Amino acid sequence: MLRIKTPRLTLRPATPHDADFIHRLLNQPDWIEYIGDRNIGDLATAAVYINERLIAAYHRDGFGLYLVDLQASGETIGLCGLVKRQTLPDPDIGFAFLDQWQGQGFAREAAQATLKYAYQDLGLKRVIGFTLPGNNRSIRLLESIGMVFDSTVYVDGDREACNLYVPANQNNPVP
């Protein structure tokens, strides 16, 4: 089973046993504002989401969004990984953390490990990122991992335009 380790974190595939965490994360106000309401109202719906969105992506694409655990305690604090969308030419990096774990460098640490895994282990040629223009925290994170604004795009039928970010240095995309 895949495990990506950093000095403080372990990234691992989600299982249906992670329904409580997914329920909490996907119902945070910033998830709903910047990513969208997934209508995860209970643990059963969260387990279905894990199976249909996260686990299905691992099988279909060979990668996906992984849960981020603290190495010291094993507590799950966030989500970080890769998503392949039909409307974008390359996989994109995605990340979200519970409120109390934001602003402590965990997202950046997980994102850097994800990029290293994408390029070195999966052999991907390019990973992109996107976010809503007003999501300043995500913009700063994408820039801190070596991405620059490229253009405005509409992703997966969204009605709101997103900012697309691409690697600043394609010859050495891992910061």
Side-chain angles (χ1 to χ4, degrees):
M1 177 180 281
L2 170 79
R3 295 240 187 256
I4 301 168
K5 293 190 180 275
T6 73
R8 300 184 295 169
L9 307 171
T10 299
L11 283 71
R12 63 169 176 85
T15 73
H17 299 292
D18 296 305
D20 181 59
F21 170 78
I22 292 297
H23 179 255
R24 285 185 293 134
L25 181 68
L26 274 61
N27 283 292
Q28 286 191 141
D30 60 341
W31 177 287
I32 292 170
E33 179 180 357
Y34 295 120
I35 299 172
D37 190 349
R38 300 297 188 250
N39 298 309
I40 306 297
D42 56 38
L43 296 182
T45 308
V48 169
Y49 180 90
I50 290 168
N51 282 320
E52 292 181 355
R53 300 287 292 270
L54 304 181
I55 294 172
Y58 306 148
H59 296 290
R60 182 185 63 244
D61 303 321
F63 53 79
L65 292 169
Y66 303 106
L67 296 189
V68 179
D69 298 338
L70 291 173
Q71 279 200 32
S73 66
E75 181 178 358
T76 303
I77 63 170
L79 192 67
C80 186
L82 304 166
V83 178
K84 180 60 186 122
R85 300 172 199 277
Q86 291 184 354
T87 57
L88 294 175
D90 302 292
D92 65 89
I93 189 165
F95 42 83
F97 284 73
L98 292 172
D99 290 338
Q100 66 267 33
W101 299 104
Q102 294 178 10
Q104 300 175 53
F106 293 117
R108 183 171 194 255
E109 189 173 324
Q112 287 175 316
T114 296
L115 288 179
K116 182 178 177 186
Y117 172 71
Y119 291 118
Q120 294 180 1
D121 296 321
L122 296 176
L124 296 177
K125 301 297 180 213
R126 187 169 91 144
V127 174
I128 59 177
F130 72 90
T131 188
L132 290 173
N135 190 344
N136 293 322
R137 191 179 289 250
S138 288
I139 290 168
R140 284 193 307 273
L141 177 56
L142 290 170
E143 290 172 346
S144 79
I145 61 171
M147 294 194 177
V148 294
F149 174 80
D150 179 72
S151 60
T152 301
V153 297
Y154 291 88
V155 179
D156 293 341
D158 284 347
R159 293 185 299 233
E160 194 168 353
C162 294
N163 289 347
L164 177 68
Y165 288 79
V166 299
N169 181 356
Q170 188 56 49
N171 295 326
N172 186 18
V174 180

